[in-house]
Amino acid sequence: MLFHLPIRYQDRTRISAIGSIQPGSDVVIVGQIEVADVQFGRRRSLLVKVSDTTGLITLRFFHFNQSQQKAFARGKWIKCFGEARRGPRSLEMVHPEYRITNEQPETNLETSLTPVYPATEGVGPNVIRKLAAQSLTLALPDLAELIPPAVCEQFSLPPLKQALQTAHTPPADIDTATLVAHKHPSLQRLALEEMVAHHLALFQLRQQRVTAVAPKFSLNRRSWEKLKPLLGFQLTNAQLRVIEETATDISQAIPALRMIQGDVGSGKTVVAAAAALQAIDAGFQAALMAPTELLAEQHRKNFSGWFEKIGVQVEWLTGKLPAAERRKALANISNGSAQMVVGTHALFQEQVDFAQLGLVIVDEQHRFGVDQRLALRNKGNKKNQVPHQLIMSATPIPRSLAMVFYADLDVSSIDELPPGRKAVNTVVLPDTRREDIVERIRHVCAEGQQVYWVCPLIEESDTLQAQAATDTWGSLEQALPELNVALVHGKMKGKEKDSVMQKFRDAKSNVLVATTVIEVGVDVPNANLMIIENAERLGLAQLHQLRGRVGRGAEQANCVLLYKPPLGRLAKDRLALLRDSNDGFEIAQKDLEHRGPGEMLGTRQTGLQQMRIADLGRDIGLLPKVEQIAEQLKQHHPESVPLLIQRWIRQNDIYANV
Ligand code: ADP
Ligand code: MG
């Protein structure tokens, strides 16, 4: 209860003169009843006029009974609390709280602002308020201060008890706006403590991990040196750097957990290949897991193409493999002849038994649950050794955030695209321009190019998305009879989906109407135009990721972001940012500021937990302090560390970061 904070406050600390009330404010008034009348209008209502020496206000009740009506007798005193609004003739209060008395009421007012708590089903606001008040008297006195006074002083933090007292019962003269906006020192102190606790928890997890033992893969890298000249392209400096960082990491006995982040098309796959070869040279197996069949297939092609040149065996395992092939794959994986294994979720199924898995690579990590990643890693836990892990993501985590909340991960960034890539040209248009766009599609397809039309919806509902896509598909079919318009969505069977995609890849269809299922990994170089509907509803990082599906060939690629007008300022600015920038890092940083990390990193499994008070979007400015405070505690007050973690982090949350 103590850490369940109010969302806003009411001011019942003073009586307002009726003549001085600003419309829109919550106020207490005291006056005498002038008249009470039932008005028969569009809605029957009881109007009660109340005056004090300064003015007149009308109370309006839509629900009332006879006895209630009678009680509003002329000349009686009444004390009300409610929101004053502009009415047709005078100020009004609709259904205020009130009490009627014969005499002028005592002015026994509240001494602090009244908190309004987020209510929960079955527990109304008054119950919560009462419980909160009780916990302030009963529990607050015994609450331990876990940030020592010296540290509080150094960072100008109010003591915990004071912070909580202020948050629950702010003094009448406080600036409520800063309080509600969480800018008040008391609330910042609470947010900071919570963030520090999370940071410390991650640090602790890291320590647990680094005490485990992993196989060491020698740095001499024979196979990689053999493959490098056969790739057919020069590695970028960023790729070379990340390959080195990774190589050093996995040459040590400490299990690596490294995120390789790089914008769409930055060339993460080949970096993964270099690491895999290092493990394979040491006699271990490497596994690469991708979130979709489509993407796994693409990786298989890449890896087979590369590795067969240097005599390394690639095996392939997905859910849709025919039984005989599957048996063979499983046998090769368990007898160790499969050195490199590429696949989907099928890789961590029970029947899969690796001879000696030394390196786990997870592509598009935000598409997997952490439990799934762990399930694969556990396939390699043998003889008291655990495998190294690399996770790849095109959704970059801003540095500031990574430092504090991915304390358990090492992060390598491929912050450079291979030369010759052209930025996608992006325009933002209202969906009233649909017809023009259809004409543009007609034109582009006549020249032999292909087009994506993406229909996202904000709801995480496959059914609704599928419906929207199906509708659009219908109307495009009609508008473009000479073209072959295909449809793919998450409600389709895997086989069906694959065959639609295959057709599009083989240029047998011109336009592909799709939901966000195409977000990751699809690679069709001939598709150079993408239209994204309802762009205003998607996160920037996700839009950027989607946009990365075009611009994979030699032609200049274009992306049209369609929105439904009218568009608010903030939404306009967001889309403008995407129009003006092709830099995934910059976009992710902005997305974080606008929408918070949950949106940015995907909702399913961010590796970041919901916090109770802190909000990373809002409180991002506190990150540097979080690190400094945590450092102080680790060094000088280690006894506080486990207590802070215990206070703020639920047990089952924590494993999400292993
Ligand atoms: P992502 O980082 O999005 O996973 P990929 O690894 O799929 O990117 O690489 C995208 C494409 O760029 C692939 O066709 C890959 O072979 C190619 N590629 C990777 N590195 C380079 C490079 N240094 N120069 C040219 N092409 C490259
Ligand atoms: Mg990739």
Side-chain angles (χ1 to χ4, degrees):
M1 274 318 302
L2 287 177
F3 292 99
H4 184 68
L5 300 187
I7 36 173
R8 55 192 180 84
Y9 303 89
Q10 297 168 342
D11 187 354
R12 299 166 187 252
T13 62
R14 61 204 169 86
I15 292 167
S16 298
I18 293 175
S20 71
I21 297 171
Q22 294 295 319
S25 48
D26 287 322
V27 287
V28 183
I29 55 160
V30 171
Q32 280 182 291
I33 295 169
E34 299 282 336
V35 60
D37 269 330
V38 177
Q39 187 188 55
F40 297 90
R42 217 159 15 105
R43 260 180 98 184
R44 200 174 74 109
S45 52
L46 173 64
L47 300 182
V48 181
K49 295 200 187 322
V50 173
S51 68
D52 65 6
T53 53
T54 66
L56 183 104
I57 192 166
T58 306
L59 316 182
R60 187 184 285 273
F61 297 88
F62 296 110
H63 312 283
F64 55 94
N65 55 35
Q66 282 234 309
S67 65
Q68 223 176 345
Q69 187 182 343
K70 276 222 192 83
F72 291 112
R74 182 179 165 83
K76 294 223 172 182
W77 287 87
I78 185 166
K79 182 174 163 187
C80 310
F81 175 81
E83 186 191 344
R85 297 187 208 160
R86 231 184 281 280
R89 252 162 244 114
S90 63
L91 276 182
E92 286 192 355
M93 271 188 194
V94 178
H95 284 272
E97 293 172 28
Y98 66 90
R99 176 168 321 144
I100 299 173
T101 48
N102 290 324
E103 306 296 325
Q104 179 161 12
E106 295 283 330
T107 51
N108 53 346
L109 289 160
E110 307 279 345
T111 51
S112 58
L113 299 178
T114 307
V116 180
Y117 293 94
T120 312
E121 205 174 328
V123 190
N126 289 329
V127 175
I128 296 189
R129 193 175 297 158
K130 204 181 278 171
L131 288 172
Q134 283 177 1
S135 22
L136 284 175
T137 18
L138 298 176
L140 189 65
D142 295 333
L143 195 67
E145 174 64 81
L146 299 178
I147 302 183
V151 182
C152 284
E153 201 168 311
Q154 185 187 345
F155 292 92
S156 322
L157 308 177
L160 178 68
K161 285 181 193 172
Q162 184 192 322
L164 284 170
Q165 190 76 52
T166 306
H168 286 282
T169 55
D173 58 355
I174 203 166
D175 177 358
T176 32
T178 60
L179 208 56
V180 170
H182 277 243
K183 295 295 175 219
H184 191 276
S186 290
L187 290 170
Q188 298 230 311
R189 139 93 215 212
L190 296 172
L192 260 172
E193 184 176 319
E194 182 173 31
M195 288 157 89
V196 166
H198 279 262
H199 184 51
L200 290 170
L202 285 169
F203 175 77
Q204 212 174 51
L205 274 176
R206 182 192 188 82
Q207 295 220 299
Q208 282 165 18
R209 176 167 61 82
V210 299
T211 53
V213 177
K216 294 196 219 178
F217 304 143
S218 149
L219 273 167
N220 92 18
R221 292 184 287 171
R222 285 167 284 123
S223 300
W224 170 239
E225 293 302 333
K226 252 196 268 173
L227 175 61
K228 215 160 53 169
L230 305 176
L231 286 172
F233 50 74
Q234 288 280 318
L235 294 164
T236 63
N237 287 329
Q239 283 172 315
L240 289 169
R241 190 189 71 240
V242 173
I243 288 172
E244 288 311 314
E245 285 169 4
T246 311
T248 312
D249 219 8
I250 61 179
S251 70
Q252 289 165 13
I254 300 164
L257 179 54
R258 179 168 292 270
M259 170 179 280
I260 296 175
Q261 60 180 34
D263 214 342
V264 182
S266 61
K268 294 182 286 292
T269 316
V270 71
V271 172
L277 287 177
Q278 197 175 334
I280 291 165
D281 278 348
F284 282 82
Q285 293 167 295
L288 169 62
M289 179 163 73
T292 63
E293 297 262 341
L294 211 68
L295 197 51
E297 165 85 48
Q298 220 158 271
H299 283 314
R300 174 174 74 133
K301 278 194 192 141
N302 275 327
F303 276 79
S304 305
W306 291 331
F307 285 8
E308 74 183 13
K309 295 180 182 158
I310 52 172
V312 169
Q313 288 304 313
V314 178
E315 192 52 79
W316 154 251
L317 187 67
T318 77
K320 62 169 203 182
L321 223 53
E325 280 180 48
R326 180 183 161 76
R327 257 197 309 277
K328 206 166 126 239
L330 287 176
N332 289 342
I333 292 169
S334 70
N335 68 25
S337 62
Q339 296 167 288
M340 175 80 215
V341 185
V342 177
T344 57
H345 301 76
L347 286 181
F348 58 78
Q349 305 307 322
E350 210 183 313
Q351 308 82 346
V352 187
D353 174 37
F354 284 86
Q356 207 171 24
L357 179 60
L359 175 67
V360 166
I361 305 165
V362 180
D363 194 15
E364 306 290 351
Q365 62 97 23
H366 61 289
R367 287 303 186 98
F368 287 100
V370 178
D371 47 341
Q372 297 177 321
R373 173 158 64 79
L374 286 178
L376 180 54
R377 190 204 64 181
N378 290 341
K379 296 270 176 202
N381 291 5
K382 278 196 182 154
K383 301 180 210 134
N384 298 324
Q385 283 195 333
V386 304
H388 296 285
Q389 297 180 78
L390 294 182
I391 61 186
M392 304 200 284
S393 177
T395 308
I397 302 164
R399 185 109 197 101
S400 53
L401 193 61
M403 297 280 285
V404 178
F405 288 97
Y406 279 82
D408 190 43
L409 287 184
D410 297 302
V411 180
S412 286
S413 298
I414 309 182
D415 48 7
E416 177 185 5
L417 292 180
R421 293 278 163 82
K422 291 198 201 93
V424 178
N425 185 16
T426 303
V427 294
V428 180
L429 294 176
D431 66 1
T432 47
R433 297 279 302 279
R434 247 181 143 83
E435 279 177 27
D436 299 344
I437 292 160
V438 170
E439 281 319 304
R440 172 107 174 260
I441 294 176
R442 199 189 304 281
H443 180 75
V444 165
C445 291
E447 292 188 336
Q449 294 186 15
Q450 291 166 283
V451 178
Y452 291 107
W453 186 300
V454 188
C455 310
L457 276 179
I458 191 154
E459 286 86 353
E460 287 276 294
S461 151
D462 280 353
T463 313
L464 287 175
Q465 281 211 26
Q467 187 54 48
T470 310
D471 291 350
T472 302
W473 173 71
S475 64
L476 283 177
E477 275 245 287
Q478 225 164 33
L480 297 163
E482 77 275 26
L483 297 181
N484 190 332
V485 183
L487 171 68
V488 65
H489 58 67
K491 277 285 182 184
M492 288 173 152
K493 292 232 162 56
K495 252 207 180 103
E496 209 181 340
K497 244 189 315 202
D498 286 345
S499 95
V500 173
M501 289 308 306
Q502 193 56 49
K503 266 196 188 144
F504 189 65
R505 212 175 312 170
D506 298 342
K508 293 204 179 94
S509 47
N510 309 95
V511 181
L512 181 65
V513 177
T515 58
T516 45
V517 294
I518 63 152
E519 186 182 332
V520 290
V522 182
D523 198 2
V524 183
N526 193 42
N528 273 309
L529 172 60
M530 172 176 282
I531 291 105
I532 305 178
E533 272 193 278
N534 295 320
E536 77 278 11
R537 299 190 185 177
L538 283 176
L540 293 180
Q542 202 183 2
L543 284 169
H544 180 63
Q545 180 108 347
L546 276 168
R547 177 171 68 173
R549 298 305 110 215
V550 292
R552 312 207 135 214
E555 302 288 326
Q556 173 62 49
N558 293 291
C559 176
V560 180
L561 302 177
L562 279 185
Y563 64 87
K564 213 179 249 0
L567 206 56
R569 264 255 352 245
L570 193 65
K572 256 197 193 118
D573 289 351
R574 294 177 60 238
L575 293 182
L577 173 76
L578 209 71
R579 182 190 62 210
D580 300 336
S581 174
N582 266 287
D583 177 345
F585 282 75
E586 183 188 354
I587 290 168
Q589 180 72 40
K590 284 285 183 332
D591 211 19
L592 175 69
E593 286 163 21
H594 286 308
R595 293 169 57 121
E599 300 285 355
M600 186 185 84
L601 299 172
T603 43
R604 177 163 154 62
Q605 192 44 272
T606 58
L608 287 175
Q609 297 120 24
Q610 270 318 98
M611 292 200 268
R612 282 191 262 171
I613 292 175
D615 171 332
L616 284 175
R618 184 187 62 210
D619 298 322
I620 187 153
L622 298 176
L623 289 178
K625 276 193 186 172
V626 171
E627 247 194 316
Q628 292 164 17
I629 294 172
E631 204 47 46
Q632 291 266 337
L633 294 177
K634 280 190 288 197
Q635 282 181 20
H636 305 299
H637 309 278
E639 71 288 351
S640 278
V641 172
L643 298 172
L644 272 168
I645 295 174
Q646 196 181 7
R647 170 179 291 167
W648 288 98
I649 294 164
R650 275 159 286 211
Q651 244 341 264
N652 54 346
D653 279 351
I654 196 152
Y655 107 111
N657 284 285
V658 179

